[in-house]
C-alpha cells in the first residue's frame, strides 16, 4: 500500500508564508498610505476653502460687497466651486450658483466657534460638494458656506492611489524575489547535506562533514553517530562471519578429501552428508555476509596500492620461480568494496596465477560501462572450458600435488557476486589462464 499523501515541501511552505505576509504588509501599508493621502489632499482642499472663507469674512467686516470677491474659480458658472453667505433673511451667493442654493445635508456642530468646520453639502443640481462652514455671531448672525466639487478631492486621490498601487506592486514583486532568493539560500545547506549523504551511501565519503550551520549541526552529529554505530556493527558482524568461515571450512575440506577414498566411504553416503553440510554452511554464511554488507554504506577502496602491495608480497613468496608480475592499474581507480574482501578476491586470483605460471603474470585493470574489470593472466598450462567450470566448485582441485584446498576461486566468485559483480575464466593470449573479476564502479 502506497502513501497517497503528497510530500510537503519546506520551500513551498516558506514561500507561501512569505507570500501571505508580504501581501498582508502591502495591504496594511496601502491602507495606511491611502488614509494619509486622503487627509493630505483633503487638508489642501480645506485650506483653499478656508482661504475663501477668510476673504469673505474680512469683506463682511469691512462692509465690502461680497459679490466683488468672486475670484477664480468661484466666478465660473455651473456646478462646482461656490460660496454662500447667509445673514439674517439675506443670502448672498457667488456668481457660479446663478441663484441656486448650497444645501447642507450635515451642517456640522452649531457652536459659534471661530474656526471653519467641514460639512456635507449638495449643489443646486444635486451634485455632491465638499463644504466648509463658518458661523459668525451677530447681531445679526451670519453663516459662510464655501464649497468645492467632490471631484477635486477624488481625482487627485485616484491619481495618487493609482501610482501608489503600481509602486506597491513593484515593491511586492521585489520583496517576493528577495524572499525566494533568501529561502533558496537558507535551504542550500540541506541540499549540500543531501549531496553529502549520497556521497556517504556511494562510498565516496565515510562521514558527513561536521562544518554545518548551527541549525542542522545537531542533525549531522546524529547522522555521523549513526554511521559510526553501523560501521561498528558491520565490523563485528564481519568478524563473526569470518571466524565462523575459518572454523568450518577447513574441517569440512579435510572430511571431504578423506572421504574421497572409496575404502572409507564405499557407498558415498558420508560424502553426501559432508557436501550437504558444506552447502548449508555456505548458504547461511552467504546470507550473513550479504546482510552485513547491506547494513552500512560501502567505503571505496583504491585498487592501485592494494595490487602493488600484493605484487610485492607474492614476488617474494614465489621468488624461486623468478616470475615477472606486470601491473597496469590507474592510480585514481577505486571500487565500493571492503578492503578485506578486496584483498581476499585479488589475493586468490594473483596467488593462483603465480602458482601455475611458468615465468610471467600480467595484471590489468580498466573501468568500463558495466563496472571495473580486473584481469589476472598467466603463461601456465591454462584450463579448457570443462576444467574451468569444475574449479569453480568448492573443494574441487585439478592437481592434488599442488598445495591448497580448492576454495580460492569459489570464494572469490561468491564475494564478487555479493557485491553485484562476477568472475569468469578463459584463455589468455599469454597461453595460460585468464581470470576476469568484475566489480561495481
Amino acid at each position: 500500500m502506497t502513501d497517497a499523501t503528497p510530500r510537503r515541501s519546506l520551500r513551498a511552505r516558506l514561500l507561501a508564508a512569505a507570500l501571505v505576509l508580504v501581501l498582508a504588509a502591502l495591504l496594511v501599508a496601502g491602507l495606511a498610505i491611502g488614509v494619509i493621502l486622503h487627509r493630505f489632499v483633503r487638508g489642501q482642499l480645506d485650506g483653499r476653502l478656508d482661504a475663501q472663507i477668510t476673504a469673505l469674512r474680512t469683506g463682511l467686516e469691512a462692509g465690502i460687497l461680497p459679490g466683488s470677491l468672486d475670484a477664480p474659480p468661484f466666478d465660473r458658472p455651473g456646478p462646482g466651486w461656490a460660496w454662500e453667505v447667509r445673514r439674517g433673511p439675506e443670502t448672498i451667493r457667488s456668481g457660479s450658483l446663478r441663484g441656486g442654493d448650497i444645501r447642507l445635508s450635515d451642517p456640522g456642530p452649531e457652536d459659534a466657534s471661530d474656526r471653519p468646520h467641514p460639512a456635507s453639502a449638495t449643489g443646486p443640481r444635486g451634485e455632491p460638494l465638499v463644504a466648509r462652514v463658518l458661523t459668525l455671531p451677530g447681531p445679526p448672525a451670519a453663516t459662510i458656506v464655501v464649497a468645492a466639487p467632490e471631484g477635486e478631492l477624488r481625482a487627485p486621490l485616484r491619481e495618487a492611489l493609482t501610482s501608489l498601487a503600481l509602486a506597491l506592486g513593484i515593491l511586492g514583486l521585489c520583496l517576493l524575489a528577495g524572499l525566494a532568493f533568501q529561502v533558496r539560500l537558507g535551504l542550500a545547506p540541506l541540499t549540500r547535506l543531501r549531496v553529502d549523504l549520497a556521497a556517504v551511501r556511494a562510498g565516496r565519503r565515510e562521514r558527513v562533514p561536521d562544518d554545518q550551520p548551527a541549525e542542522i549541526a545537531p542533525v549531522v552529529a546524529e547522522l555521523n553517530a549513526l554511521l559510526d554505530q553501523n560501521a561498528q556493527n558491520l565490523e563485528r558482524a564481519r568478524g563473526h562471519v569470518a571466524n565462523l568461515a575459518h572454523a568450518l571450512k577447513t574441517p569440512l575440506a579435510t572430511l571431504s578429501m578423506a572421504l574421497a577414498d572409496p575404502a572409507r566411504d564405499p557407498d558415498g553416503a558420508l560424502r553426501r552428508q559432508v557436501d550437504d553440510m558444506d552447502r548449508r554452511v555456505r548458504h547461511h554464511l552467504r546470507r550473513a555476509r550479504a546482510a552485513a554488507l547491506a547494513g552500512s554504506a560501502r567505503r571505496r577502496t583504491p585498487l592501485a596500492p592494494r595490487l602493488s602491495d600484493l605484487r610485492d608480497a607474492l614476488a617474494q613468496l614465489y621468488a624461486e620461480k623468478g616470475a615477472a608480475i606486470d601491473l597496469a592499474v590507474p592510480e585514481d581507480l577505486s571500487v565500493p568494496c571492503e578492503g578485506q574482501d578486496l584483498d581476499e578476491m585479488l589475493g586468490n586470483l594473483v596467488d593462483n596465477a603465480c602458482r601455475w605460471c611458468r615465468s610471467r603474470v600480467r595484471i590489468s585493470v580498466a573501468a568500463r560501462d558495466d563496472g571495473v574489470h580486473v584481469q589476472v593472466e598467466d603463461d601456465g598450462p591454462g584450463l579448457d572450458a570443462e576444467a574451468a567450470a569444475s574449479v569453480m566448485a568448492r573443494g574441487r582441485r585439478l592437481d592434488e600435488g599442488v598445495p591448497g584446498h580448492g576454495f580460492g576461486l569459489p570464494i572469490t566468485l561468491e564475494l564478487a557476486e555479493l557485491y553485484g559483480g562476477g568472475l569468469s575464466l578463459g584463455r589468455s593470449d599469454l597461453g595460460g589462464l585468464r581470470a576476469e573479476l568484475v566489480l561495481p564502479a
Side-chain angles (χ1 to χ4, degrees), residues 57-374:
R57 178 179 180 179
T58 303
L60 286 175
E61 292 175 348
I64 302 174
L65 292 176
S68 63
L69 299 176
D70 271 350
F74 296 96
D75 58 345
R76 301 170 187 168
W81 299 89
W83 56 265
E84 190 176 85
V85 178
R86 301 168 186 172
R87 184 169 57 182
E90 181 183 13
T91 300
I92 306 172
R93 304 175 181 85
S94 63
S96 60
L97 287 175
R98 296 197 174 194
D101 293 324
I102 299 175
R103 293 185 292 273
L104 296 176
S105 56
D106 179 16
E110 296 182 355
D111 59 339
S113 63
D114 200 33
R115 296 175 60 105
H117 57 267
S120 299
T122 55
R125 299 175 181 81
E127 66 274 12
L129 301 175
V130 177
R132 298 283 288 178
V133 179
L134 176 64
T135 302
L136 299 174
T143 300
I144 301 175
V145 180
V146 180
E150 199 173 60
E152 294 293 327
L153 176 63
R154 292 183 177 178
L157 273 177
R158 187 181 302 111
E159 183 179 354
L161 291 177
T162 301
S163 301
L164 174 64
L166 179 61
L168 289 180
I170 296 175
L171 176 62
L173 293 177
C174 293
L175 287 175
L176 289 177
L179 288 171
F181 176 75
Q182 182 181 7
V183 169
R184 181 177 181 181
L185 186 64
L187 295 180
L190 294 180
T191 303
R192 290 195 298 269
L193 178 59
R194 178 181 60 83
V195 174
D196 292 335
L197 285 174
V200 171
R201 184 169 59 87
R204 295 189 297 272
R205 288 180 179 271
E206 295 184 10
R207 305 174 84 251
V208 180
D210 294 325
D211 185 16
Q212 302 289 344
E215 290 76 10
I216 64 173
V219 177
V220 171
E222 292 296 328
L223 285 174
N224 283 332
L226 181 61
L227 291 172
D228 294 340
Q229 182 180 2
N230 285 345
Q232 294 173 3
N233 293 338
L234 173 62
E235 195 64 30
R236 285 195 293 269
R238 291 176 58 80
H240 293 321
V241 171
N243 293 336
L244 182 59
H246 285 293
L248 292 177
K249 70 179 184 180
T250 300
L252 287 175
T254 303
L255 284 173
S256 180
M257 288 186 292
L259 294 176
D261 185 358
R264 297 181 178 181
D265 185 24
D267 57 356
L270 294 179
R271 177 62 182 264
R272 287 192 297 272
Q273 292 293 328
V274 171
D275 291 341
D276 183 62
M277 291 171 60
D278 180 61
R279 284 193 299 270
R280 291 177 182 271
V281 168
R282 284 191 288 109
H283 169 71
H284 289 290
L285 287 178
R286 185 183 298 110
R287 291 186 59 186
R289 197 158 198 168
L293 287 174
S296 178
R298 302 172 188 170
R299 66 183 65 183
R300 300 190 71 86
T301 303
L303 284 168
R306 299 277 178 171
L307 285 171
S308 179
D309 294 343
L310 183 61
R311 178 188 60 181
D312 296 341
L314 291 177
Q316 295 181 4
L317 183 63
Y318 293 95
E320 70 280 0
K321 273 192 171 185
I325 303 177
D326 301 330
L327 178 61
V329 53
E331 290 293 333
D332 57 347
L333 196 59
S334 61
V335 291
C337 300
E338 290 293 332
Q340 296 177 1
D341 291 341
L342 186 61
D343 289 341
E344 186 165 0
M345 289 185 285
L346 297 176
N348 287 334
L349 296 180
V350 180
D351 179 69
N352 187 72
C354 291
R355 181 183 296 119
W356 291 98
C357 76
R358 293 187 176 91
S359 61
R360 186 181 177 190
V361 173
R362 183 170 63 196
I363 306 169
S364 59
V365 182
R368 302 177 186 172
D369 293 339
D370 58 341
V372 176
H373 290 244
V374 181

